[in-house]
Amino acid sequence: MTQPSNPDRRHFLQQTALLSVGAGLAVSSLASQARPIHTAPTPIARVRGGRLAGQTEGSIHVFRGIPYGADTAPRRFQAALPEQPWRGIRDALAYGPAAPQTGSEAPGSEDCLRLNVWTPALRDGRKRPILFYIHGGAYNNGSGSDPLYNGGNLCRRGDVVVVTVNHRLNLFGYLYLAQLASGALADSGNVGQLDLIQALHWVRQHAAEFGGDADNITVFGQSGGGAKIATLMAMPSAKGLFHRAWTMSGQQVTAAGPRAATQRAQQVLDHFKLSDANALRNMPMEKLLEAASLRDPSRVENSALYVGPVVDARNLPMHPFWPQAPLQSADIPMVIGNTRDETRAFLGNDPHNHTFSWDELPAKLEAQQYVDLLPTVVIAEYRRLYPHYTPSEIFFAATTAGRSWRGAVEELEARARQGAPTWAYQLDWYDRSGDAADLRAFHTLDIPLVFHNLQQPGSRTGNSPQAQHVASTMSDALLAFSRNGNPNHAGLPQWDPYALDRRQTLQFDTQSHQTDDPRSGERQLYQQAPFIQRGTF
């Protein structure tokens, strides 16, 4: 339990909270007397766990590290319990711990069910749209505390409430043990998704406290965040918890099948020389994380162990977007977007990938396109479509079309067949004078643009007038979508819903424009092979 830093501050915050509740204000006469006139009063929120002290940044009230569930360590691989209530006023000034993971945010903590809220006002009776962001990092890593996800600029620009969230990841959130352990672990393959559902319930319950509308929640997310959203759209327990969906470079057409997911779980048991899956429940967190680096049994790609949502006939009864888009979400407006040069983010940091020869291209393409088409056939078609392309340009374009863009096309076409309201975009713009110019419109570039966070660490957009223009265009489209269920606004050309006869796509650039079926030749080339999402088998 986090307590205020000193008794005097605790007394002040308690008095401020008591005086503000009836009037619905964050300021009181006592506060103005107790603090210098230039100091913003401490905003106090009342949530189901107790009172929270946030901070005011400019005109926005910010609450970080709010618990929406209890420590998951005692219930590893199980659905989480609600957070424990606290006494007094709990500081909500710092981000909570990330989920257990490897990488830059390692090792994390199993007490990770935290969310962060940016709001223009508390308890003022307004019904602002709520934007609920789900972070990327596949299903393996990341958190809601990345500087690029700071919600302050969106709040100020659109008078909305922004929420970011942490939830269980990798083995802790998606290791499927239902067929290898006791019935208590029946949910284990999808508890990371159940965490998100629990967070959405929390947000709906407290919408009015933070000046938002419980009946107007937009979920948006990039990469793994978009895939998690696609999965939520097919989970019965998520129905009605959100009302619009905006995904960026993240799709989930098919999920892991139960046999494949059990095979991976068995590989974890074999690694630790265990015969009883229940033994994993008490294994030290850092030791269990070792298994995240095991080689995946699939031959589709040379990668670490895949864990993600599982078609478990319980929480996820069907594949999210196969053979059709989920019926339960047919009335939810959806935007599905990608960047023009996705795989330059993964493959473009190797200098050799920008300079290799035509002789080297077939082997490199076969290893990285993730689709079983003859590289010679793919190369011949790209040379016909784009005769000026170099070998490396074909490599980046083909890997993007074969392994990153393909899922977006599948979801768009499934929604179009369903007649569901759906808009497609492609980000073409990139900073041609910056240090990332060779990466062009790479995977993740749309995050700082949508959040209008060009000057945050890691944006790689620059802050030129062109970057500001594209950011305004994209963030205003998200804000319009959150208000109206339609991304069109005065700063855009007409953006029509996606339909199979035209495949309308908005291409974001310094001069954004709508195009019918962009990259149609690439789309048709890769549709010669069936699409199977990573981890399905």
Side-chain angles (χ1 to χ4, degrees):
M1 177 171 65
T2 304
Q3 292 293 339
S5 56
N6 60 66
D8 290 339
R9 184 171 184 272
R10 181 186 302 115
H11 175 75
F12 166 75
L13 294 175
Q14 290 170 338
Q15 293 299 315
T16 303
L18 291 172
L19 289 169
S20 67
V21 169
L25 301 174
V27 186
S28 69
S29 59
L30 175 62
S32 64
Q33 295 169 15
R35 292 171 175 265
I37 194 167
H38 62 272
T39 302
T42 300
I44 303 294
R46 288 183 176 273
V47 297
R48 68 190 185 193
R51 287 174 291 171
L52 293 166
Q55 56 193 324
T56 302
E57 299 176 3
S59 59
I60 302 302
H61 303 312
V62 187
F63 297 81
R64 294 181 170 91
I66 306 172
Y68 69 87
D71 185 352
T72 63
R75 290 178 58 82
R76 185 183 288 175
F77 309 129
Q78 296 177 273
L81 295 176
E83 68 280 7
Q84 291 293 317
W86 56 89
R87 298 177 62 187
I89 299 177
R90 176 183 181 125
D91 282 344
L93 307 176
Y95 291 113
Q101 58 189 275
T102 58
S104 61
E105 299 197 58
S109 168
E110 291 187 75
D111 188 12
C112 62
L113 302 189
R114 309 294 174 87
L115 51 78
N116 316 294
V117 180
W118 289 261
T119 181
L122 297 170
R123 301 177 298 275
D124 63 351
R126 298 280 299 277
K127 288 185 174 292
R128 297 174 178 84
I130 298 174
L131 290 163
F132 183 98
Y133 185 75
I134 303 176
H135 69 77
Y139 293 95
N140 300 318
N141 51 58
S143 76
S145 60
D146 191 293
L148 292 179
Y149 311 154
N150 186 297
N153 286 337
L154 272 181
C155 276
R156 279 181 284 270
R157 189 173 187 86
D159 191 33
V160 295
V161 179
V162 178
V163 179
T164 67
V165 63
N166 293 357
H167 67 103
R168 280 175 285 180
L169 301 167
N170 51 69
L171 286 77
F172 295 86
Y174 298 96
L175 185 65
Y176 183 61
L177 299 168
Q179 297 185 42
L180 299 174
S182 64
L185 304 188
D187 295 322
S188 56
N190 289 302
V191 294
Q193 295 297 117
L194 296 180
D195 291 345
L196 293 171
I197 290 171
Q198 184 161 317
L200 284 164
H201 277 290
W202 190 99
V203 168
R204 285 177 57 83
Q205 181 179 346
H206 298 96
E209 179 71 11
F210 292 98
D213 185 356
D215 294 320
N216 185 6
I217 296 175
T218 297
V219 291
F220 69 123
Q222 190 274 341
S223 192
K228 295 162 195 172
I229 289 168
T231 304
L232 288 172
M233 294 176 80
M235 296 181 72
S237 59
K239 182 174 175 59
L241 296 182
F242 56 92
H243 312 90
R244 322 196 192 298
W246 176 295
T247 62
M248 305 182 288
S249 305
Q251 302 84 34
Q252 194 73 47
V253 178
T254 55
R259 179 206 55 77
T262 300
Q263 180 182 0
R264 292 180 172 98
Q266 185 62 56
Q267 190 173 344
V268 173
L269 293 180
D270 293 345
H271 171 75
F272 291 118
K273 297 180 172 56
L274 295 173
S275 58
D276 182 4
N278 286 292
L280 296 175
R281 300 170 72 176
N282 300 312
M283 180 176 288
M285 182 189 82
E286 291 83 357
K287 185 172 181 62
L288 181 56
L289 274 173
E290 292 175 8
S293 61
L294 294 174
R295 170 72 168 85
D296 194 82
S298 170
R299 295 184 181 181
V300 175
E301 55 181 294
N302 183 19
S303 68
L305 191 71
Y306 175 86
V307 285
V310 181
V311 181
D312 62 358
R314 181 179 173 91
N315 298 292
L316 183 61
M318 63 194 71
H319 291 288
F321 275 80
W322 185 89
Q324 61 187 3
L327 293 175
Q328 75 175 55
S329 302
D331 61 342
I332 293 178
M334 186 176 188
V335 170
I336 298 173
N338 275 80
T339 67
R340 180 67 177 80
D341 306 285
E342 297 275 6
T343 56
R344 285 180 181 256
F346 320 126
L347 306 172
N349 292 308
D350 181 349
H352 183 62
N353 283 342
H354 296 269
T355 60
F356 58 75
S357 68
W358 288 107
D359 289 340
E360 294 175 276
L361 177 57
K364 294 184 75 69
L365 187 58
E366 185 167 36
Q368 296 292 344
Q369 67 177 346
Y370 295 177
V371 175
D372 199 5
L373 291 177
L374 276 172
T376 53
V377 171
V378 172
I379 294 166
E381 181 62 5
Y382 269 91
R383 298 192 76 169
R384 186 187 72 81
L385 292 169
Y386 311 108
H388 60 288
Y389 271 19
T390 66
S392 67
E393 286 176 319
I394 289 179
F395 173 70
F396 291 127
T399 53
T400 290
R403 77 189 228 185
S404 293
W405 180 46
R406 183 71 187 281
V409 173
E410 295 290 328
E411 287 189 3
L412 285 163
E413 295 195 350
R415 292 272 295 183
R417 289 192 298 270
Q418 193 179 62
T422 312
W423 290 262
Y425 81 74
Q426 175 178 295
L427 175 61
D428 289 353
W429 179 88
Y430 63 95
D431 180 16
R432 286 159 172 78
S433 61
D435 63 351
D438 285 345
L439 301 182
R440 301 187 185 178
F442 61 92
H443 186 76
T444 73
L445 184 62
D446 40 5
I447 297 173
L449 299 170
V450 163
F451 275 94
H452 218 295
N453 280 341
L454 305 186
Q455 299 187 72
Q456 290 285 0
S459 73
R460 309 193 81 173
T461 58
N463 196 35
S464 67
Q466 294 80 13
Q468 291 282 350
H469 172 73
V470 176
S472 296
T473 303
M474 292 193 75
S475 61
D476 285 350
L478 172 62
L479 291 167
F481 184 69
S482 72
R483 292 192 179 281
N484 310 311
N486 186 316
N488 282 279
H489 62 84
L492 274 180
Q494 180 61 32
W495 185 1
D496 297 321
Y498 190 93
L500 290 176
D501 60 339
R502 292 177 55 194
R503 294 184 168 86
Q504 302 95 316
T505 303
L506 198 287
Q507 294 179 255
F508 284 109
D509 209 331
T510 49
Q511 294 294 323
S512 298
H513 55 282
Q514 179 174 280
T515 302
D516 289 354
D517 201 9
R519 296 189 286 168
S520 60
E522 297 178 67
R523 175 183 60 78
Q524 293 174 47
L525 169 65
Y526 276 103
Q527 284 187 325
Q528 295 179 51
F531 178 79
I532 301 170
Q533 189 129 4
R534 179 189 177 204
T536 302
F537 298 115

